[in-house]
Amino acid sequence: MTPRVLVIQLARLGDLVQTIPAITAMKMSHPDWQIDLLCPRQLSALGRLVPGISEVVPWDGAAWHRRAANAEEEVRAEHLAEAGAGIRAISEDLYDRACILNQHPRAFLAGALLARESVGAVSGKPLNHKLSPWAEYIRRVAISKRSHHVHLADAFCGMCGLSPPNDIRPIHLPPTVFPTDLEPIGQSDGDWIGLLVGAGDQERLVPIGVWERLIVECLSIRPASRVVLIGDQHEQERAHRIQGALSPLLLGRVWDTTGRFSLVQLANLLARCRVVVGTDTGPLHLAAAVGTRVIGWYFARARVHETGPYGPNHWVWQAETKEMDRMAAIKPTQWPIAETIALLGDAAAASVEDWSLWRSYRDDLGAYYVESDHEPIEPCERAQIWRQLQPLSVA
Amino acid sequence: MEYLQHNLERLHPRWPALAMAIRESAGNVLTVTPSREGAPSAMYQGQWVHSAYDPRTEARSWAEQQVGEWKRGELGVILGVGLLYHIEALAQVIPHDSRLVVVVPNLCVLKDALGVRPLGPWLDTLTWVTGTAQEMAEQLASHATPLRFFTYGAAARVHAEEHQRLEASLRRIVAAQAGGRLHVAVVGPIYGGSLPIARYAVRALGELGHRVTYVDHSVHHASYQAFENYRDERSRLTVQSRFADVLSLSTMATIAEDPPDLVLAIAQAPLSLAVLQHLQKKKFLTAMWFVENFRHLTYWQQLAAGYEYWFVIQQAECMDALKRAGATQVHYLPMAADPVVHHPITLTGDEQQAYGADVSFVGAGYANRRRLLPQWLTKEWSFKLWGNEWDGATDLSGVLQRNGARIDTDTCMKVFNATTINLNLHSVSGMGLDAHPDFVNPRTFELAACGAFQLVDERSLLSELFTPEEMVCFRSPDEVPSLIRTWLKDSGGRRAYAEAAQRRVLREHTYRHRMQDLLAAVGLHQPDRIGSILRGERSATELQRRTDSATELSPLLSRFPPGQRVELKDLAADIRARAPGRELNREELLVLMLDSYRGETRDLL
């Protein structure tokens, strides 16, 4: 019988995209396995694009909230029955194995409810679990704010007992229809530069005036370039304010797409850009996954070593703090505008005070980031971590 | 006339006595006037009871808004009769198996309604309650199902006072029946007169069998007081206000750790509007017992919309003001006594000597007291004045005890018990008696609970709480000396009054009664949550009774003692406690999954 495996990834967009190497590696190691993906309902359309997945089963968090609210009012047999039906709707039969990639009790419980055994972030029973060595490693790095030598996406591979895949290809996108007025994006020559106007977190929002300066300078220095404003419906107002600050002459070269694309369309849009700049790590990961170069601005609590886009040749500007307390959110006072524009032209970027610049590489042990004026690090250090955490994975 | 006859005939088979009584009533309370659309509308004292344009459409839209609130098994109770358009509309949108009761405080209004238009078969589905407030409350309570009130404001206005009385009666009945166990977080003030009230409320709730978390901010008093030392008033106010904000946040942290069913703040509790709004957003139920004179302390204006329930010690004017400021539910809840603290004590000879006098007054030196008390000093009787804030009151220095030091509750009780006549003069900032003598202060109840005789200044709300055989009042300062003279001579009369007042307090005016009343009021408005808990419907026994023994829930419930309240979180906690070393079954995992989402709804900070 074909073994049925359920990969459980209940976190956000960025984590789902970073699950792709693990699923790729799993499919390469076990071509006969049926691998299903359990992910949040709102991401399920994107989950279906992940290569190697047989079926995407959506996790309806809103429905669970409703059920919990009802049961909280008065616990009744029908509440349990309804919750049971919700689980059965995912799968009538138990999976042979659940690969749990989140360190959240809900993911552990979902694994226990849906599969005969669970591996990944935890081992043991749902209430008596033990974090796996890889999950411990990720937690330690997140708490200590030390450098990740092993990328999160590769650690996901480790959690599944696999080494990173040799080859990571951009995810294959189905043809998508764009709104007519936005169809020309990326279809003509010239630099199409995607700009993520918003951020998942309020403290990671770049001031409107900074984006305005970046656009003005970029369009004047790079005459053949065009800027595509990208974001969801909540970011439309920011996009309007950015455009409101631009001269009418420049507006013809700025394309506002905010709030007009589904997730799959967004993936297509990102693929049509030559470079994507921004702070919102979810879409940055997605851009990297569709094969577009990324220049990330990481500040507040974002750290390149925790959430740097996966794959080679991406750039991340990391805001640094001189304060002793590295747990505090970093609020930059100046921004790497001209230096980012230099990177768009593949020129060397000058250094910027209070920012460091990191470049991504990839080898047999996965992806990693190195500061721009340093040589790529030898694989031996990362190999040592792999040996410690997963002795059989490294020759 | 033709319509009335037709409608009474429709009513008669099920409600013969009611049909008869309506026929005999006078009617003519409402002024019936055609609406723009043509259907009859009505006015009462110059105001529309239904829409002047289209009463049917307006009633339909009201009914559609109401029906969403309705939970299965609840009995809908309509307040407001009018021309019955709204009742017709509601009867047509409610689920098939639901029942509606119409409260009819005045049959004349119903007669007007039955006389203006022919009514259809929906009339047969209604239940009517009539009579006095107490009779109607008993009829409603006899249904033994949760009540869901639907108030049609414009028509209910006609019977506002009767509805208030009905609710008070119903609260008493519900309070007496209540058996369930709530978890109440009582948020106390940092200091001041409402601090002991918070403690009495905590004790009363505990005695009633509820679980109480007391958020005691008096532990921060010393720090708060330390800020008094700033010379610059602006600095002091800023720091004290920020400090109160921190305490407000700390209240939220305490609540987050063990979410209660009800957050009950006592006046002066440091809870900011922002925190209250956040609590509301997170579905916490909040109530404030504002044991203050709303005319003197006006911070209620900023907080009115922050609490879902306000309980106040004053009536109409105060309640209207709060509603205008944004409060939705305002209820009258007078002060009380705590018999654990306020009770008769036997004094030693020395104590009688130290604390006793013919006449005593205990309290702070407000302006009206400074002006009036000297008028009542005479060589005819001994007089002792106890309390603080009497600096500069030279004409009282001869009777002021302990140099005007603040006295504690124990001393207070000894003075009450040792004194022949206790004066009870409500404080005001003016010079004479209170110009708005409405609420009754806690001292009235405390003295009565001690079995002590008192002379109290007349209050408009006193007669609802004590009869003239229980309390002696004075209406002007001039009456006081003669009253003292009279009652000093009549020890038997004093005893009779004091004992009658004490019996009344113990029967009706303790903090237990108040807390029962408060919870019943909240329960009436929250029949599916607080009401359900108070009715004991969350106990293991009751849940088990309603659960088919074949279902997976049954074995989980059977682990709890019969009377214990059981909720989702309790089931989850029990499963977690038993988890080590064993395999959890599917039902247990489902409970834990549901509980993981429940926790998120209360993710406060």
Side-chain angles (χ1 to χ4, degrees):
Chain A
M1 272 234 323
T2 307
R4 293 173 70 232
V5 176
L6 182 67
V7 175
I8 297 179
Q9 178 51 275
L10 297 180
R12 295 193 287 185
L13 172 62
D15 296 78
L16 177 62
V17 174
Q18 291 183 89
T19 305
I20 294 171
I23 292 170
T24 306
M26 197 179 291
K27 197 68 189 171
M28 284 167 70
S29 302
H30 308 284
D32 59 326
W33 283 8
Q34 178 192 322
I35 304 171
D36 292 353
L37 171 67
L38 182 70
C39 70
R41 175 172 289 283
Q42 63 274 22
L43 300 179
S44 55
L46 192 68
R48 289 189 188 96
L49 304 183
V50 175
I53 290 296
S54 301
E55 196 184 334
V56 173
V57 276
W59 182 257
D60 194 342
W64 280 99
H65 274 294
R66 274 198 306 278
R67 287 173 199 139
N70 290 338
E72 200 178 356
E73 277 192 6
E74 181 185 320
V75 62
R76 289 202 225 113
E78 58 255 41
H79 296 140
L80 271 194
E82 198 198 325
I87 292 292
R88 268 195 304 280
I90 292 172
S91 176
E92 279 289 343
D93 304 317
L94 288 178
Y95 282 88
D96 296 303
R97 174 182 289 186
C99 288
I100 302 168
L101 299 182
N102 311 118
Q103 298 182 29
H104 193 286
R106 268 176 218 155
F108 309 157
L109 288 166
L113 279 162
L114 288 163
R116 289 192 184 86
E117 65 163 7
S118 295
V119 298
V122 287
S123 58
K125 300 186 170 72
L127 287 184
N128 204 12
H129 58 261
K130 192 167 173 277
L131 282 185
S132 68
W134 278 109
E136 278 287 1
Y137 169 75
I138 290 165
R139 181 171 280 193
R140 268 202 315 275
V141 172
I143 291 170
S144 67
K145 302 278 168 195
R146 284 186 300 115
S147 298
H148 247 309
H149 291 298
V150 176
H151 196 279
L152 178 65
D154 297 318
F156 283 158
C157 298
M159 282 186 198
C160 298
L162 302 160
S163 300
N166 295 332
D167 191 19
I168 283 288
R169 294 197 181 146
I171 54 178
H172 177 70
L173 295 170
T176 319
V177 178
F178 277 19
T180 316
D181 58 320
L182 301 178
E183 186 51 42
I185 292 175
Q187 304 292 47
S188 56
D189 288 343
D191 261 357
W192 290 86
I193 296 157
L195 182 70
L196 305 175
V197 298
D201 194 347
Q202 198 69 16
E203 61 185 9
R204 294 209 327 237
L205 283 175
V206 172
I208 301 277
V210 173
W211 280 151
E212 178 212 334
R213 273 178 52 207
L214 180 89
I215 294 168
V216 170
E217 288 179 32
C218 174
L219 294 180
S220 69
I221 292 169
R222 304 180 60 77
S225 63
R226 270 151 287 189
V227 173
V228 184
L229 303 180
I230 301 170
D232 63 21
Q233 72 272 25
H234 304 295
E235 284 144 3
Q236 280 179 314
E237 197 196 324
R238 277 178 71 77
H240 289 155
R241 285 173 59 201
I242 291 169
Q243 292 168 90
L246 299 174
S247 78
L249 282 176
L250 294 180
L251 280 178
R253 294 166 63 196
V254 176
W255 297 66
D256 182 4
T257 69
T258 52
R260 301 186 59 189
F261 283 87
S262 69
L263 212 45
V264 175
Q265 285 176 316
L266 171 68
N268 272 281
L269 175 68
L270 294 168
R272 289 196 194 185
C273 296
R274 190 178 68 81
V275 184
V276 172
V277 180
T279 66
D280 196 348
T281 49
L284 286 178
H285 282 296
L286 185 56
V290 298
T292 299
R293 265 183 69 208
V294 162
I295 304 176
W297 286 10
Y298 281 33
F299 58 98
R301 286 168 218 279
R303 304 279 306 158
V304 58
H305 295 296
E306 287 170 44
T307 52
Y310 192 77
N313 300 320
H314 304 300
W315 293 96
V316 171
W317 287 100
Q318 174 72 59
E320 300 289 353
T321 176
K322 295 188 178 73
E323 293 164 31
M324 292 298 287
D325 183 9
R326 304 201 71 177
M327 300 299 282
I330 304 170
K331 288 182 191 160
T333 51
Q334 55 183 324
W335 303 85
I337 295 172
E339 298 74 10
T340 296
I341 295 167
L343 289 177
L344 290 173
D346 295 326
S351 65
V352 184
E353 197 176 345
D354 296 335
W355 291 83
S356 56
L357 178 61
W358 298 76
R359 182 176 189 164
S360 67
Y361 297 87
R362 192 169 188 282
D363 60 18
D364 292 348
L365 293 176
Y368 60 99
Y369 277 81
V370 175
E371 208 161 347
S372 65
D373 49 358
H374 291 59
E375 288 298 311
I377 55 173
E378 292 294 318
C380 56
E381 197 176 347
R382 287 178 296 126
Q384 194 183 344
I385 294 169
W386 277 93
R387 260 195 297 276
Q388 273 174 7
L389 300 178
Q390 198 167 328
L392 297 178
S393 65
V394 182
Chain B
M1 201 61 194
E2 190 187 324
Y3 291 142
L4 178 65
Q5 187 57 31
H6 163 85
N7 291 327
L8 285 176
E9 278 167 16
R10 184 176 271 287
L11 204 61
H12 190 268
R14 277 191 69 212
W15 304 92
L18 177 65
M20 186 82 79
I22 294 169
R23 194 187 300 280
E24 284 168 11
S25 73
N28 289 324
V29 171
L30 303 178
T31 310
V32 178
T33 313
S35 66
R36 288 266 180 91
E37 163 270 346
S41 189
M43 297 181 89
Y44 175 70
Q45 293 181 343
Q47 290 189 4
W48 289 100
V49 171
H50 290 284
S51 165
Y53 297 91
D54 186 350
R56 281 199 181 86
T57 307
E58 180 208 41
R60 268 197 300 275
S61 129
W62 174 84
E64 275 154 21
Q65 278 171 15
Q66 306 300 313
V67 79
E69 297 279 306
W70 203 328
K71 303 271 181 345
R72 246 176 88 188
E74 289 176 350
L75 179 67
V77 181
I78 303 178
L79 300 181
V81 176
L83 298 186
L84 306 176
Y85 286 115
H86 54 295
I87 300 170
E88 179 179 6
L90 195 58
Q92 281 162 358
V93 294
I94 59 170
H96 178 62
D97 55 349
S98 307
R99 289 178 303 149
L100 276 179
V101 177
V102 184
V103 172
V104 187
N106 183 350
L107 292 177
C108 295
V109 177
L110 188 53
K111 185 172 190 176
D112 291 344
L114 298 181
V116 297
R117 62 194 182 104
L119 303 175
W122 57 270
L123 200 65
D124 307 337
T125 63
L126 302 175
T127 300
W128 308 86
V129 297
T130 57
T132 64
Q134 181 64 23
E135 286 163 353
M136 291 193 290
E138 283 166 8
Q139 290 170 58
L140 288 174
S142 71
H143 284 279
T145 45
L147 306 178
R148 170 74 64 182
F149 284 88
F150 298 108
T151 304
Y152 187 72
R157 190 176 48 80
V158 179
H159 315 288
E161 283 179 18
E162 289 93 336
H163 289 157
Q164 251 178 32
R165 282 199 289 274
L166 168 69
E167 182 167 342
S169 299
L170 205 50
R171 267 158 65 175
R172 278 195 292 275
I173 296 171
V174 171
Q177 293 170 343
R181 187 172 185 241
L182 286 169
H183 176 201
V184 184
V186 176
V187 187
I190 304 169
Y191 69 102
S194 57
L195 178 58
I197 313 292
R199 292 175 180 147
Y200 303 148
V202 167
R203 180 165 30 238
L205 287 164
E207 284 172 358
L208 289 168
H210 301 294
R211 185 158 76 85
V212 188
T213 299
Y214 180 29
V215 187
D216 181 6
H217 289 301
S218 68
V219 297
H220 305 294
H221 186 201
S223 307
Y224 190 83
Q225 225 171 5
F227 303 137
E228 295 283 349
N229 296 333
Y230 293 118
R231 281 192 300 276
D232 178 22
E233 196 189 357
R234 215 171 40 179
S235 303
R236 177 176 63 79
L237 290 175
T238 305
V239 174
Q240 285 183 331
S241 150
R242 293 280 169 86
F243 188 63
D245 284 344
V246 169
L247 296 188
S248 189
L249 211 57
S250 91
T251 302
M252 199 155 67
T254 309
I255 289 167
E257 287 191 352
D258 187 8
D261 302 306
L262 174 69
V263 179
L264 171 61
I266 307 296
Q268 304 275 9
L271 276 170
S272 65
L273 183 62
V275 162
L276 288 168
Q277 285 169 336
H278 191 55
L279 287 172
Q280 275 190 9
K281 209 169 101 192
K282 292 286 180 180
K283 308 269 187 264
F284 280 89
L285 205 57
T286 54
M288 155 62 85
W289 192 10
F290 190 68
V291 291
E292 310 270 17
N293 182 346
F294 87 106
R295 296 185 190 93
H296 288 179
L297 288 176
T298 55
Y299 63 89
W300 52 268
Q301 290 168 344
Q302 287 81 50
L303 297 178
Y307 290 98
E308 270 160 281
Y309 293 88
W310 281 84
F311 292 89
V312 293
I313 59 172
Q314 287 151 295
Q315 288 195 347
E317 201 185 330
C318 168
M319 293 162 119
D320 291 345
L322 264 160
K323 284 182 180 166
R324 278 198 303 276
T328 49
Q329 290 284 340
V330 190
H331 302 268
Y332 173 58
L333 191 71
M335 300 304 308
D338 180 351
V340 173
V341 177
H342 312 115
H343 55 79
I345 43 177
T346 308
L347 301 169
T348 64
D350 287 348
E351 283 175 330
Q352 184 64 44
Q353 185 70 27
Y355 301 108
D358 290 331
V359 181
S360 290
F361 179 81
V362 180
Y366 282 86
N368 66 324
R369 292 167 174 172
R370 285 165 179 259
R371 168 65 70 93
L372 294 176
L373 290 184
Q375 297 176 25
W376 302 333
L377 300 184
T378 155
K379 286 186 179 152
E380 287 180 60
W381 50 76
S382 60
F383 193 110
K384 284 184 180 170
L385 171 61
W386 304 80
N388 55 343
E389 297 177 22
W390 291 101
D391 296 348
T394 48
D395 40 4
L396 290 166
S397 58
V399 293
L400 183 63
Q401 306 298 301
R402 297 187 180 176
N403 255 338
R406 177 183 283 271
I407 61 166
D408 60 22
T409 307
D410 274 356
T411 308
C412 225
M413 293 308 111
K414 285 176 183 164
V415 173
F416 292 170
N417 275 276
T419 298
T420 309
I421 296 176
N422 287 280
L423 291 178
N424 180 3
L425 177 61
H426 286 71
S427 60
V428 280
S429 49
M431 283 303 161
L433 294 183
D434 191 351
H436 304 281
D438 49 6
F439 71 93
V440 177
N441 65 9
R443 181 59 43 83
T444 311
F445 301 95
E446 292 164 3
L447 282 163
C450 287
F453 179 79
Q454 63 179 304
L455 294 178
V456 58
D457 50 328
E458 176 75 52
R459 316 294 295 175
S460 61
L461 295 174
L462 191 67
S463 61
E464 288 181 15
L465 301 161
F466 294 97
T467 64
E469 289 72 42
E470 292 165 338
M471 201 59 65
V472 181
C473 304
F474 56 91
R475 287 162 196 81
S476 87
D478 301 339
E479 288 178 36
V480 175
S482 67
L483 282 171
I484 294 175
R485 234 169 254 125
T486 304
W487 289 103
L488 274 178
K489 286 185 222 149
D490 185 359
S491 65
R494 287 197 314 266
R495 197 163 48 248
Y497 267 87
E499 284 174 2
Q502 189 195 20
R503 280 194 300 273
R504 183 72 185 268
V505 166
L506 295 180
R507 200 169 61 237
E508 292 179 19
H509 302 318
T510 67
Y511 285 97
R512 276 181 74 143
H513 292 108
R514 298 298 181 254
M515 290 301 103
Q516 269 186 324
D517 219 13
L518 181 148
L519 296 179
V522 177
L524 274 178
H525 290 272
Q526 302 266 331
D528 50 335
R529 170 89 190 137
I530 301 291
S532 160
I533 299 166
L534 285 173
R535 289 191 299 275
E537 290 170 4
R538 306 289 173 89
S539 71
T541 323
E542 191 57 24
L543 290 172
Q544 192 74 271
R545 193 182 63 74
R546 280 183 278 155
T547 301
D548 181 349
S549 59
T551 65
E552 299 84 350
L553 188 59
S554 193
L556 298 177
L557 287 172
S558 67
R559 299 194 38 78
F560 292 85
Q564 188 176 323
R565 176 178 158 193
V566 182
E567 298 205 329
L568 178 62
K569 61 184 174 193
D570 306 307
L571 287 177
D574 180 60
I575 293 166
R576 280 194 199 96
R578 293 183 297 115
R582 71 185 186 92
E583 205 74 43
L584 297 182
N585 64 36
R586 183 180 165 82
E587 287 66 41
E588 290 172 321
L589 291 168
L590 288 171
V591 168
L592 293 175
M593 183 64 92
L594 285 170
D595 188 60
S596 79
Y597 280 90
R598 179 195 66 79
E600 197 171 88
T601 62
R602 289 287 164 89
D603 190 10
L604 263 186
L605 291 173

